[in-house]
Structures are given as C-alpha cells and as structure tokens.
Amino acid sequence: MNNFYIVTNDLKDRDFEITAQITDYLKRHGKAVTNDPLLIDCVLVLGGDGTLLRASVELAHLGVPFLGINLGNLGFLAEVDKDNIESALTKLIQGEYTTEKRMMLDGISNKAQQNSAQQNSAQQNSAQQNSAQQNSALNDVVIIGNESMQLIYFDLFVNGLKLTNYVADGIVISTPTGSTGYNLSAGGPIVEPRADVILVTPLSAHSMRSRSIILSSDDEIEVLITKGKNGEEQTALAVFDGHNRIVLKTFDRVKITKSAKSTSIIKLSKLNFFEILKQKL
C-alpha cells in the first residue's frame, strides 16, 4: 500500500494532532496521503465505530479496505488503539494484515410508487425526487416511531409474503457486523461477522412474536407501516447506521436487501472474533 486517504472525526481529534502524526509517519516511510480516488489504496478512519460506519457507506464505491483507529471508548470495527498507531501502521506498510469482507444492506422507500396513480407527470417527478429515498448501511436499518416512547404498528414481509404483524417500539434489520450493535441491545443474537445472513429483531414487541428471525442474505425484507391503534395515521423513521433517515407515514413501505456493495475491513490482530468479543464485552 502506497496511497492513503484519511477520514478524521474532528470532535475526537479537534486539533488534528493525531491526523498530522499519521500523515508525518506515512510520509517518512515513503507513503503518500491523497484525496485522489483513483490513487487510494486504503482508507484510514480516525474516530470510532460510528465514524467508520459513515465512511464505509460514503466511500464504498472506492473498493478499497478500511482501517479503523479508535479515538473513543468501545470499538468493534475500529481495531487500532490510539496508543498503538505507529506499530499498527508499520504492520500495515509491511503487509502484515488480512481483510474481511463485510456485507451491507440497501433500503429504499416506495412512497413515490404509491402516489404515482394520483399525480400528473410533473408531480410524479417531484415526488420521485422528494419521496423515493435510498440509503445503505453496514450495521443496521432501524425502523422506529418518530416520537419518543411511540409504539408503531407495522407488517413484516419476506420475499413478498406477509410473515407477521407487530405492535412494537420498532424493528432492527441487521447485518452480521451489526449484530453486536443495536441488535444485541435488543436481545438479538451475536453472529460471526463473515456470515451471510440478515437478522431481524423486534424492539419491545407487544406480543409473543418477540424473537429474532435469521434470514438468508438473498431474502427480500419489507416493512409496511399500517394504521395505528384506533385507525390513526402514523409517522415513523427508517434510520441507517444511526444517522441517515427516511421519514415514513401510514402505508409507506421500506424494502431492505443485501447490497451489491460491501466493505473490506483490515485486521491486524491475530485474535479471532470470539476472542475480541470476550475482551470487549
């Protein structure tokens, strides 16, 4: 690797002191720090897991691996501690690393499709721009009420067939990478990150159907927001990796599938996933 791109969370490296330290180290070892997407061999992400999640989605099109440098507290994805940066960079430069391919999810709302029969051509184009939204996630897609402590009513479909309906705080649709995130907090299972599955975990469901469901990565998942308790209209949010959001209303649907994109995470440690899990938890 010769050309590196650095993404810095400026809330955790306020004076860019660590960024400058890394840049200087790389240059002293004959490497370059570049913004040219055609030259980048690796993305170094300084911050925490949240920073790495955002960077992986925004830069997935580059097709290069990511190394996370943890400047926060708990990090499953950001492997390198700030006290071990130079030794980690040495390993990286010398090729003493492996990469793990992590699956991602795509989610798209179909609100524009619902409204198309009711609008003229110009209105359809406007609705397509304003309503049909698509985002990707490395960790999870979480569908929750738009207001705090708000129950939402929704149906869950798998491959076009209705599986069940829920009255719940929401639902988490997670990749194996995201299994140690919100999914775990909601009582969902921990899955080895290289597994090729999708996890579906309801949030505080008001029914006996509160268990997680593990699906094939080839399955197509759809969540339909239905009417509320007394037939009232509902508003919900589809949140991608904790930051990108799609606003949903009654009868809106979100379709979630395995993405054609993926993220490659650089691993410098020889510890396996379960050894790292034991350390973190």
Side-chain angles (χ1 to χ4, degrees), residues 109-151:
S109 68
N110 70 345
K111 293 185 287 185
Q113 297 165 345
Q114 292 172 357
N115 295 333
S116 61
Q118 303 170 12
Q119 299 170 319
N120 59 35
S121 178
Q123 289 173 323
Q124 288 178 26
N125 291 336
S126 176
Q128 183 72 29
Q129 293 173 359
N130 295 330
S131 298
Q133 301 178 60
Q134 181 170 355
N135 282 297
S136 299
L138 174 58
N139 251 17
D140 52 42
V141 182
V142 179
I143 298 176
I144 54 174
N146 196 27
E147 298 178 5
S148 178
M149 304 299 289
Q150 174 191 347
L151 288 173

Side-chain angles (χ1 to χ4, degrees), residues 6 18 44 89 92 143 145 149 253 261:
I6 300 177
I18 299 174
L44 303 177
L89 292 176
L92 187 60
I143 298 176
M149 304 299 289
R253 297 173 180 258
K261 299 176 290 185

Side-chain angles (χ1 to χ4, degrees), residues 151 154 165-170 202-211:
L151 288 173
F154 58 93
N165 61 281
Y166 288 103
V167 180
D169 289 349
L203 298 172
S204 302
H206 288 227
S207 73
M208 298 297 291
R209 298 183 297 274
S210 60
R211 299 293 186 182

Side-chain angles (χ1 to χ4, degrees), residues 3-4 35 134 155-156 159 164 168 183 204 220 236-237 255:
N3 300 292
F4 296 83
N35 292 327
Q134 181 170 355
D155 293 342
L156 178 67
N159 300 327
T164 188
N183 167 76
S204 302
E220 178 184 279
L237 297 172
K255 184 184 295 182

